């Protein structure tokens, strides 16, 4: 009981500290004006998962009611996106998701902190949209067992396919991203990986480079026949650090519409920070 009270207080302090850091970045950053068309263009590119823009997003998430002991889970996704020009007509976009996870009192063995498994996606995408304005990409996806604690990863190597399609019309962006990954090697004592990930999304970008985004990040586990369905609502703002460095910062909430047994419940928090490196 004492440990649970201590953990709750620690997490509340961490939430206050992170919120203060985000607000501090807002205060120190150069504001974007309605006439800053470059920032608006960058904001729209950030709504496109396969845009020709190098970016390094850091995405902090906090969930509650997680695990058999109904503890908290906090994790930071480090998500570099690096496009490469393959030829005059095609780009190759590398998207990496490396989580740093903190499970507080929600596992039978107690708390755990460290790296989780890495998901690496590679999209082959035409440089020009179709005649109807569709932007799309597809390619392989890989699961890498980079977890530093057994409870933080699957212990499996995985491979599969991924695809994304979207359309941008005026201030609106809407589309969807998905993948399916099967385990192909790894610890034979661990459960097989056979999961589908679906992320329909939409966003609206204002003339001041503020983006309002709504998505779900649903996962279906074919082994356990269970869904995880968080619904995320975000507000992201383009800023400039100093005079030249463009960045995006965001704050949002999530609601778990459905979760597997022992999964997170209710409301959660998401904070975004991304460094952008336009060509």
């Amino acid at each position: 009981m004492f440990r649970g009270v201590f953990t709750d207080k620690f997490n509340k302090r961490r939430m206050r500290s992170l919120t203060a850091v985000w607000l501090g970045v807002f205060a120190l950053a150069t504001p974007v004006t309605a006439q800053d068309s470059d920032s608006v263009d960058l904001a729209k590119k950030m709504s496109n998962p396969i845009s020709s823009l190098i970016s390094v997003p850091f995405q902090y998430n906090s969930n509650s009611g997680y695990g058999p002991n109904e503890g908290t889970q906090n994790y930071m996704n480090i998500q570099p996106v690096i496009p490469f020009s393959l030829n005059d007509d095609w780009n190759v976009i590398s998207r990496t998701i490396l989580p740093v996870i903190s499970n507080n009192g929600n596992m039978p063995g107690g708390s755990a902190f460290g790296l989780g498994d890495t998901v690496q996606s590679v999209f082959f995408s035409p440089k020009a949209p179709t005649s109807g304005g569709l932007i799309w990409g597809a390619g392989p996806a890989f699961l890498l067992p980079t977890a530093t604690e057994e409870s933080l990863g699957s212990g499996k190597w995985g491979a599969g396919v991924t695809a994304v399609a979207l359309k941008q019309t005026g201030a609106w962006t809407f589309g969807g991203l998905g993948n399916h990954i099967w385990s192909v090697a790894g610890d034979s004592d661990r459960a097989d990986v056979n999961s589908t990930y679906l992320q329909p999304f939409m966003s609206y970008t204002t003339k001041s480079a503020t983006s309002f985004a709504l998505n779900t990040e649903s996962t279906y586990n074919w082994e356990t026949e269970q869904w995880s369905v968080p619904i995320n609502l975000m507000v992201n703002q383009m800023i400039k650090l100093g005079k030249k460095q463009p960045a995006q910062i965001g704050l949002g909430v999530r609601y778990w519409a459905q979760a597997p047994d022992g999964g997170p419940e209710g409301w959660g928090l998401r904070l975004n920070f991304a460094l952008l490196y336009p060509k």
Side-chain angles (χ1 to χ4, degrees):
M1 179 178 178
F2 173 77
R3 180 172 180 166
V5 171
F6 176 79
T7 301
D8 288 343
K9 291 182 178 179
F10 175 76
N11 287 325
K12 289 178 181 178
R13 288 197 298 270
R14 177 159 48 189
M15 290 296 173
R16 288 196 293 267
S17 298
L18 283 168
T19 302
V21 170
W22 254 249
L23 292 174
V25 172
F26 265 125
L28 295 174
T30 303
V32 172
T33 65
Q35 289 74 36
D36 192 344
S37 59
D38 289 342
S39 292
V40 174
D41 182 61
L42 287 176
K44 291 180 180 179
K45 286 185 175 182
M46 287 298 290
S47 298
N48 174 5
I50 53 173
S51 66
S52 56
L53 172 68
I54 297 175
S55 63
V56 185
F58 299 86
Q59 182 194 88
Y60 175 82
N61 299 270
S62 181
N63 299 312
S64 60
Y66 190 89
N69 300 322
E70 296 189 355
T72 59
Q73 181 192 58
N74 303 284
Y75 60 96
M76 176 79 76
N77 284 333
I78 304 170
Q79 304 179 126
V81 179
I82 305 175
F84 301 92
S85 178
L86 188 61
N87 54 39
D88 292 340
D89 299 318
W90 291 83
N91 284 330
V92 177
I93 298 96
S94 168
R95 290 180 59 88
T96 306
I97 301 177
L98 173 62
V100 181
I101 305 170
S102 174
N103 287 334
N104 298 306
N106 56 12
M107 293 297 173
S111 300
F113 174 80
L115 298 178
D117 289 344
T118 298
V119 175
Q120 175 64 52
S121 301
V122 180
F123 295 91
F124 294 86
S125 176
K127 289 185 176 181
T130 67
S131 58
L134 184 69
I135 300 168
W136 67 274
F142 304 97
L143 175 67
L144 311 178
T146 53
T148 54
E149 297 281 347
E150 182 176 343
S151 63
L152 301 181
S154 65
K156 295 286 190 177
W157 295 85
V161 293
T162 185
V164 61
L166 66 135
K167 192 170 183 179
Q168 294 188 302
T169 303
W172 289 95
T173 299
F174 51 92
L177 181 151
N179 67 44
H180 187 92
I181 294 178
W182 299 267
S183 55
V184 296
D187 189 344
S188 59
D189 294 330
R190 304 291 297 275
D192 289 337
V193 174
N194 182 11
S195 64
T196 299
Y197 174 82
L198 300 172
Q199 185 191 40
F201 56 84
M202 64 181 297
S203 67
Y204 180 85
T205 301
T206 70
K207 293 181 179 180
S208 58
T210 304
S211 296
F212 300 89
L214 176 67
N215 70 36
T216 71
E217 297 170 344
S218 302
T219 301
Y220 184 72
N221 186 329
W222 293 86
E223 296 295 317
T224 61
E225 299 182 344
Q226 291 182 316
W227 280 98
S228 297
V229 186
I231 300 173
N232 305 301
L233 178 62
M234 293 291 304
V235 180
N236 296 304
Q237 176 65 53
M238 290 298 305
I239 58 175
K240 288 185 179 179
L241 302 178
K243 294 183 179 181
K244 296 183 178 181
Q245 177 61 59
Q248 188 181 63
I249 193 167
L251 174 66
V253 295
R254 63 169 24 178
Y255 179 76
W256 287 90
Q258 192 168 345
D261 296 339
E265 298 177 353
W267 293 92
L269 175 71
R270 171 170 289 182
L271 302 173
N272 287 337
F273 176 73
L275 295 170
L276 282 59
Y277 300 94
K279 295 180 181 180

